[in-house]
Amino acid sequence: MRNSRSLNYEQALSRTAELCSRCEQCTPDLRKKMSTWGVPAGDADRVIRKLEELNFVDDFRYARAYAHDKLEYSGWGRNKIIQGLWAKRLSRAAIEQSLSEIEDEQYVDIARHTVHTFGNSRLMKLLPQCLNDLFIVHPMFRRQYPYHPSPGLYL
């Protein structure tokens, strides 16, 4: 729903600074929000530049936080994190830097925890082995972890 009155530069700066002070934001999301507020594109660019100068918004910082949170709290794999960051329209450099900061040991631990969680459900104990493997493989594919057919299944 569009506002009947568009925001000027000062109002847009104030509103986006408030948003950025509450939680991390990325520039494409801010541009989209300002567009819905009726802020002209030129003013939106000025607002973004000012927020970057004041260190309110930083796409590299946003990508690091996004990758960390999706790995730690949602159990996503690297490929799904990349897909999410591409959907946010962040730069390739920001995506690569955020993934390079994920430690391999932490990544493997979270993947093993996910496999262990699905492998120990009550349903798993009632199903034949071939279906058990599917119930483990499917959630891992959904989180886009790489599959390696071996006794360890993943990683």
Side-chain angles (χ1 to χ4, degrees), residues 128-151:
Q129 183 61 37
C130 62
L131 289 178
N132 283 349
D133 291 345
L134 286 176
F135 275 100
I136 292 173
V137 169
H138 179 21
M140 299 306 287
F141 274 146
R142 201 177 38 204
R143 287 172 176 81
Q144 295 189 2
Y145 281 92
Y147 176 71
H148 300 290
S150 65

PDB file of all heavy atoms in Angstrom, residues 128-151:
ATOM      1  N   PRO A 128      11.477 -48.971   7.506  1.00  0.00           N
ATOM      2  CA  PRO A 128      12.614 -49.752   6.996  1.00  0.00           C
ATOM      3  C   PRO A 128      13.808 -48.842   6.693  1.00  0.00           C
ATOM      4  O   PRO A 128      13.652 -47.631   6.513  1.00  0.00           O
ATOM      5  CB  PRO A 128      12.080 -50.381   5.709  1.00  0.00           C
ATOM      6  CG  PRO A 128      10.687 -49.925   5.531  1.00  0.00           C
ATOM      7  CD  PRO A 128      10.317 -49.035   6.655  1.00  0.00           C
ATOM      8  N   GLN A 129      14.988 -49.410   6.618  1.00  0.00           N
ATOM      9  CA  GLN A 129      16.224 -48.647   6.447  1.00  0.00           C
ATOM     10  C   GLN A 129      16.213 -47.763   5.206  1.00  0.00           C
ATOM     11  O   GLN A 129      16.664 -46.626   5.245  1.00  0.00           O
ATOM     12  CB  GLN A 129      17.425 -49.591   6.403  1.00  0.00           C
ATOM     13  CG  GLN A 129      18.765 -48.886   6.310  1.00  0.00           C
ATOM     14  CD  GLN A 129      19.036 -47.982   7.501  1.00  0.00           C
ATOM     15  OE1 GLN A 129      18.689 -48.313   8.622  1.00  0.00           O
ATOM     16  NE2 GLN A 129      19.641 -46.841   7.261  1.00  0.00           N
ATOM     17  N   CYS A 130      15.674 -48.256   4.091  1.00  0.00           N
ATOM     18  CA  CYS A 130      15.682 -47.450   2.860  1.00  0.00           C
ATOM     19  C   CYS A 130      14.876 -46.169   3.042  1.00  0.00           C
ATOM     20  O   CYS A 130      15.255 -45.112   2.553  1.00  0.00           O
ATOM     21  CB  CYS A 130      15.176 -48.259   1.674  1.00  0.00           C
ATOM     22  SG  CYS A 130      13.472 -48.812   1.849  1.00  0.00           S
ATOM     23  N   LEU A 131      13.754 -46.230   3.754  1.00  0.00           N
ATOM     24  CA  LEU A 131      12.974 -45.023   4.004  1.00  0.00           C
ATOM     25  C   LEU A 131      13.643 -44.130   5.038  1.00  0.00           C
ATOM     26  O   LEU A 131      13.533 -42.907   4.972  1.00  0.00           O
ATOM     27  CB  LEU A 131      11.561 -45.388   4.462  1.00  0.00           C
ATOM     28  CG  LEU A 131      10.663 -45.986   3.383  1.00  0.00           C
ATOM     29  CD1 LEU A 131       9.314 -46.353   3.970  1.00  0.00           C
ATOM     30  CD2 LEU A 131      10.496 -45.048   2.218  1.00  0.00           C
ATOM     31  N   ASN A 132      14.339 -44.735   5.986  1.00  0.00           N
ATOM     32  CA  ASN A 132      15.087 -43.936   6.960  1.00  0.00           C
ATOM     33  C   ASN A 132      16.080 -43.028   6.264  1.00  0.00           C
ATOM     34  O   ASN A 132      16.212 -41.857   6.592  1.00  0.00           O
ATOM     35  CB  ASN A 132      15.843 -44.822   7.949  1.00  0.00           C
ATOM     36  CG  ASN A 132      14.946 -45.418   9.000  1.00  0.00           C
ATOM     37  OD1 ASN A 132      13.803 -45.021   9.131  1.00  0.00           O
ATOM     38  ND2 ASN A 132      15.459 -46.376   9.737  1.00  0.00           N
ATOM     39  N   ASP A 133      16.804 -43.592   5.297  1.00  0.00           N
ATOM     40  CA  ASP A 133      17.788 -42.804   4.562  1.00  0.00           C
ATOM     41  C   ASP A 133      17.120 -41.629   3.842  1.00  0.00           C
ATOM     42  O   ASP A 133      17.651 -40.525   3.810  1.00  0.00           O
ATOM     43  CB  ASP A 133      18.557 -43.675   3.574  1.00  0.00           C
ATOM     44  CG  ASP A 133      19.481 -44.665   4.271  1.00  0.00           C
ATOM     45  OD1 ASP A 133      19.731 -44.483   5.485  1.00  0.00           O
ATOM     46  OD2 ASP A 133      19.937 -45.601   3.609  1.00  0.00           O
ATOM     47  N   LEU A 134      15.928 -41.875   3.277  1.00  0.00           N
ATOM     48  CA  LEU A 134      15.220 -40.789   2.597  1.00  0.00           C
ATOM     49  C   LEU A 134      14.811 -39.691   3.571  1.00  0.00           C
ATOM     50  O   LEU A 134      14.866 -38.511   3.254  1.00  0.00           O
ATOM     51  CB  LEU A 134      13.979 -41.323   1.877  1.00  0.00           C
ATOM     52  CG  LEU A 134      14.231 -42.114   0.606  1.00  0.00           C
ATOM     53  CD1 LEU A 134      12.923 -42.653   0.063  1.00  0.00           C
ATOM     54  CD2 LEU A 134      14.926 -41.262  -0.432  1.00  0.00           C
ATOM     55  N   PHE A 135      14.396 -40.072   4.764  1.00  0.00           N
ATOM     56  CA  PHE A 135      13.988 -39.076   5.745  1.00  0.00           C
ATOM     57  C   PHE A 135      15.161 -38.257   6.248  1.00  0.00           C
ATOM     58  O   PHE A 135      14.988 -37.151   6.736  1.00  0.00           O
ATOM     59  CB  PHE A 135      13.258 -39.739   6.928  1.00  0.00           C
ATOM     60  CG  PHE A 135      11.802 -39.950   6.662  1.00  0.00           C
ATOM     61  CD1 PHE A 135      11.334 -41.186   6.282  1.00  0.00           C
ATOM     62  CD2 PHE A 135      10.905 -38.903   6.772  1.00  0.00           C
ATOM     63  CE1 PHE A 135       9.994 -41.378   6.027  1.00  0.00           C
ATOM     64  CE2 PHE A 135       9.553 -39.091   6.519  1.00  0.00           C
ATOM     65  CZ  PHE A 135       9.098 -40.343   6.141  1.00  0.00           C
ATOM     66  N   ILE A 136      16.361 -38.782   6.128  1.00  0.00           N
ATOM     67  CA  ILE A 136      17.546 -38.009   6.500  1.00  0.00           C
ATOM     68  C   ILE A 136      18.016 -37.162   5.320  1.00  0.00           C
ATOM     69  O   ILE A 136      18.360 -36.003   5.473  1.00  0.00           O
ATOM     70  CB  ILE A 136      18.678 -38.934   6.980  1.00  0.00           C
ATOM     71  CG1 ILE A 136      18.287 -39.583   8.306  1.00  0.00           C
ATOM     72  CG2 ILE A 136      19.979 -38.158   7.143  1.00  0.00           C
ATOM     73  CD1 ILE A 136      19.247 -40.644   8.782  1.00  0.00           C
ATOM     74  N   VAL A 137      18.000 -37.761   4.122  1.00  0.00           N
ATOM     75  CA  VAL A 137      18.525 -37.081   2.937  1.00  0.00           C
ATOM     76  C   VAL A 137      17.661 -35.882   2.550  1.00  0.00           C
ATOM     77  O   VAL A 137      18.181 -34.817   2.228  1.00  0.00           O
ATOM     78  CB  VAL A 137      18.657 -38.076   1.761  1.00  0.00           C
ATOM     79  CG1 VAL A 137      18.933 -37.363   0.464  1.00  0.00           C
ATOM     80  CG2 VAL A 137      19.746 -39.087   2.053  1.00  0.00           C
ATOM     81  N   HIS A 138      16.341 -36.037   2.602  1.00  0.00           N
ATOM     82  CA  HIS A 138      15.460 -34.965   2.157  1.00  0.00           C
ATOM     83  C   HIS A 138      15.675 -33.647   2.924  1.00  0.00           C
ATOM     84  O   HIS A 138      15.841 -32.593   2.301  1.00  0.00           O
ATOM     85  CB  HIS A 138      14.008 -35.409   2.229  1.00  0.00           C
ATOM     86  CG  HIS A 138      13.014 -34.370   1.815  1.00  0.00           C
ATOM     87  ND1 HIS A 138      13.323 -33.291   1.025  1.00  0.00           N
ATOM     88  CD2 HIS A 138      11.708 -34.223   2.078  1.00  0.00           C
ATOM     89  CE1 HIS A 138      12.268 -32.539   0.829  1.00  0.00           C
ATOM     90  NE2 HIS A 138      11.272 -33.086   1.464  1.00  0.00           N
ATOM     91  N   PRO A 139      15.681 -33.641   4.264  1.00  0.00           N
ATOM     92  CA  PRO A 139      15.927 -32.362   4.955  1.00  0.00           C
ATOM     93  C   PRO A 139      17.294 -31.769   4.634  1.00  0.00           C
ATOM     94  O   PRO A 139      17.452 -30.542   4.596  1.00  0.00           O
ATOM     95  CB  PRO A 139      15.831 -32.718   6.431  1.00  0.00           C
ATOM     96  CG  PRO A 139      15.152 -34.022   6.496  1.00  0.00           C
ATOM     97  CD  PRO A 139      15.382 -34.699   5.202  1.00  0.00           C
ATOM     98  N   MET A 140      18.279 -32.616   4.401  1.00  0.00           N
ATOM     99  CA  MET A 140      19.603 -32.108   4.072  1.00  0.00           C
ATOM    100  C   MET A 140      19.612 -31.472   2.677  1.00  0.00           C
ATOM    101  O   MET A 140      20.252 -30.455   2.459  1.00  0.00           O
ATOM    102  CB  MET A 140      20.648 -33.217   4.181  1.00  0.00           C
ATOM    103  CG  MET A 140      20.764 -33.801   5.591  1.00  0.00           C
ATOM    104  SD  MET A 140      21.055 -32.574   6.878  1.00  0.00           S
ATOM    105  CE  MET A 140      22.743 -32.168   6.553  1.00  0.00           C
ATOM    106  N   PHE A 141      18.897 -32.084   1.737  1.00  0.00           N
ATOM    107  CA  PHE A 141      18.774 -31.480   0.407  1.00  0.00           C
ATOM    108  C   PHE A 141      18.034 -30.155   0.492  1.00  0.00           C
ATOM    109  O   PHE A 141      18.384 -29.181  -0.171  1.00  0.00           O
ATOM    110  CB  PHE A 141      18.025 -32.397  -0.554  1.00  0.00           C
ATOM    111  CG  PHE A 141      18.880 -33.412  -1.242  1.00  0.00           C
ATOM    112  CD1 PHE A 141      18.378 -34.657  -1.538  1.00  0.00           C
ATOM    113  CD2 PHE A 141      20.183 -33.134  -1.594  1.00  0.00           C
ATOM    114  CE1 PHE A 141      19.158 -35.601  -2.175  1.00  0.00           C
ATOM    115  CE2 PHE A 141      20.977 -34.067  -2.231  1.00  0.00           C
ATOM    116  CZ  PHE A 141      20.451 -35.303  -2.520  1.00  0.00           C
ATOM    117  N   ARG A 142      16.984 -30.115   1.305  1.00  0.00           N
ATOM    118  CA  ARG A 142      16.208 -28.891   1.440  1.00  0.00           C
ATOM    119  C   ARG A 142      17.059 -27.751   1.983  1.00  0.00           C
ATOM    120  O   ARG A 142      16.878 -26.601   1.631  1.00  0.00           O
ATOM    121  CB  ARG A 142      15.020 -29.166   2.361  1.00  0.00           C
ATOM    122  CG  ARG A 142      13.900 -28.193   2.198  1.00  0.00           C
ATOM    123  CD  ARG A 142      12.741 -28.538   3.074  1.00  0.00           C
ATOM    124  NE  ARG A 142      13.251 -29.025   4.343  1.00  0.00           N
ATOM    125  CZ  ARG A 142      12.600 -29.810   5.170  1.00  0.00           C
ATOM    126  NH1 ARG A 142      11.399 -30.197   4.885  1.00  0.00           N
ATOM    127  NH2 ARG A 142      13.127 -30.208   6.306  1.00  0.00           N
ATOM    128  N   ARG A 143      17.993 -28.082   2.861  1.00  0.00           N
ATOM    129  CA  ARG A 143      18.897 -27.066   3.412  1.00  0.00           C
ATOM    130  C   ARG A 143      20.126 -26.873   2.516  1.00  0.00           C
ATOM    131  O   ARG A 143      21.004 -26.102   2.821  1.00  0.00           O
ATOM    132  CB  ARG A 143      19.332 -27.478   4.815  1.00  0.00           C
ATOM    133  CG  ARG A 143      18.222 -27.329   5.819  1.00  0.00           C
ATOM    134  CD  ARG A 143      18.594 -27.921   7.151  1.00  0.00           C
ATOM    135  NE  ARG A 143      17.567 -27.688   8.148  1.00  0.00           N
ATOM    136  CZ  ARG A 143      16.470 -28.405   8.275  1.00  0.00           C
ATOM    137  NH1 ARG A 143      16.247 -29.414   7.465  1.00  0.00           N
ATOM    138  NH2 ARG A 143      15.583 -28.120   9.207  1.00  0.00           N
ATOM    139  N   GLN A 144      20.181 -27.623   1.434  1.00  0.00           N
ATOM    140  CA  GLN A 144      21.189 -27.545   0.382  1.00  0.00           C
ATOM    141  C   GLN A 144      22.607 -27.805   0.875  1.00  0.00           C
ATOM    142  O   GLN A 144      23.551 -27.093   0.547  1.00  0.00           O
ATOM    143  CB  GLN A 144      21.092 -26.217  -0.362  1.00  0.00           C
ATOM    144  CG  GLN A 144      19.779 -26.094  -1.100  1.00  0.00           C
ATOM    145  CD  GLN A 144      19.713 -24.906  -2.016  1.00  0.00           C
ATOM    146  OE1 GLN A 144      20.657 -24.146  -2.153  1.00  0.00           O
ATOM    147  NE2 GLN A 144      18.592 -24.721  -2.670  1.00  0.00           N
ATOM    148  N   TYR A 145      22.751 -28.862   1.640  1.00  0.00           N
ATOM    149  CA  TYR A 145      24.079 -29.354   1.982  1.00  0.00           C
ATOM    150  C   TYR A 145      24.544 -30.237   0.842  1.00  0.00           C
ATOM    151  O   TYR A 145      23.736 -30.914   0.205  1.00  0.00           O
ATOM    152  CB  TYR A 145      24.038 -30.187   3.273  1.00  0.00           C
ATOM    153  CG  TYR A 145      23.991 -29.367   4.527  1.00  0.00           C
ATOM    154  CD1 TYR A 145      22.791 -29.023   5.112  1.00  0.00           C
ATOM    155  CD2 TYR A 145      25.165 -28.921   5.121  1.00  0.00           C
ATOM    156  CE1 TYR A 145      22.746 -28.266   6.271  1.00  0.00           C
ATOM    157  CE2 TYR A 145      25.127 -28.155   6.275  1.00  0.00           C
ATOM    158  CZ  TYR A 145      23.924 -27.840   6.843  1.00  0.00           C
ATOM    159  OH  TYR A 145      23.893 -27.090   7.978  1.00  0.00           O
ATOM    160  N   PRO A 146      25.843 -30.272   0.576  1.00  0.00           N
ATOM    161  CA  PRO A 146      26.333 -31.146  -0.498  1.00  0.00           C
ATOM    162  C   PRO A 146      26.176 -32.611  -0.093  1.00  0.00           C
ATOM    163  O   PRO A 146      26.374 -32.970   1.061  1.00  0.00           O
ATOM    164  CB  PRO A 146      27.800 -30.766  -0.634  1.00  0.00           C
ATOM    165  CG  PRO A 146      28.149 -30.110   0.645  1.00  0.00           C
ATOM    166  CD  PRO A 146      26.904 -29.507   1.191  1.00  0.00           C
ATOM    167  N   TYR A 147      25.813 -33.467  -1.042  1.00  0.00           N
ATOM    168  CA  TYR A 147      25.614 -34.893  -0.779  1.00  0.00           C
ATOM    169  C   TYR A 147      26.820 -35.671  -1.265  1.00  0.00           C
ATOM    170  O   TYR A 147      27.269 -35.506  -2.390  1.00  0.00           O
ATOM    171  CB  TYR A 147      24.352 -35.375  -1.490  1.00  0.00           C
ATOM    172  CG  TYR A 147      24.110 -36.859  -1.351  1.00  0.00           C
ATOM    173  CD1 TYR A 147      23.709 -37.390  -0.126  1.00  0.00           C
ATOM    174  CD2 TYR A 147      24.284 -37.714  -2.423  1.00  0.00           C
ATOM    175  CE1 TYR A 147      23.485 -38.736   0.020  1.00  0.00           C
ATOM    176  CE2 TYR A 147      24.061 -39.060  -2.286  1.00  0.00           C
ATOM    177  CZ  TYR A 147      23.663 -39.576  -1.071  1.00  0.00           C
ATOM    178  OH  TYR A 147      23.443 -40.913  -0.928  1.00  0.00           O
ATOM    179  N   HIS A 148      27.339 -36.524  -0.411  1.00  0.00           N
ATOM    180  CA  HIS A 148      28.444 -37.421  -0.758  1.00  0.00           C
ATOM    181  C   HIS A 148      28.031 -38.823  -0.374  1.00  0.00           C
ATOM    182  O   HIS A 148      27.972 -39.139   0.815  1.00  0.00           O
ATOM    183  CB  HIS A 148      29.725 -37.046  -0.008  1.00  0.00           C
ATOM    184  CG  HIS A 148      30.187 -35.650  -0.301  1.00  0.00           C
ATOM    185  ND1 HIS A 148      30.698 -35.278  -1.513  1.00  0.00           N
ATOM    186  CD2 HIS A 148      30.174 -34.529   0.461  1.00  0.00           C
ATOM    187  CE1 HIS A 148      31.001 -34.005  -1.487  1.00  0.00           C
ATOM    188  NE2 HIS A 148      30.685 -33.526  -0.303  1.00  0.00           N
ATOM    189  N   PRO A 149      27.720 -39.691  -1.364  1.00  0.00           N
ATOM    190  CA  PRO A 149      27.275 -41.047  -1.014  1.00  0.00           C
ATOM    191  C   PRO A 149      28.410 -41.831  -0.368  1.00  0.00           C
ATOM    192  O   PRO A 149      29.327 -42.283  -1.027  1.00  0.00           O
ATOM    193  CB  PRO A 149      26.853 -41.645  -2.339  1.00  0.00           C
ATOM    194  CG  PRO A 149      27.448 -40.790  -3.392  1.00  0.00           C
ATOM    195  CD  PRO A 149      27.746 -39.452  -2.777  1.00  0.00           C
ATOM    196  N   SER A 150      28.351 -41.923   0.922  1.00  0.00           N
ATOM    197  CA  SER A 150      29.343 -42.642   1.685  1.00  0.00           C
ATOM    198  C   SER A 150      28.686 -43.054   2.998  1.00  0.00           C
ATOM    199  O   SER A 150      27.557 -42.672   3.262  1.00  0.00           O
ATOM    200  CB  SER A 150      30.556 -41.744   1.957  1.00  0.00           C
ATOM    201  OG  SER A 150      30.191 -40.679   2.783  1.00  0.00           O
ATOM    202  N   PRO A 151      29.367 -43.833   3.822  1.00  0.00           N
ATOM    203  CA  PRO A 151      28.748 -44.229   5.089  1.00  0.00           C
ATOM    204  C   PRO A 151      28.322 -43.039   5.929  1.00  0.00           C
ATOM    205  O   PRO A 151      27.356 -43.116   6.665  1.00  0.00           O
ATOM    206  CB  PRO A 151      29.857 -45.023   5.793  1.00  0.00           C
ATOM    207  CG  PRO A 151      30.724 -45.507   4.703  1.00  0.00           C
ATOM    208  CD  PRO A 151      30.658 -44.467   3.616  1.00  0.00           C
TER     209      PRO A 151
END
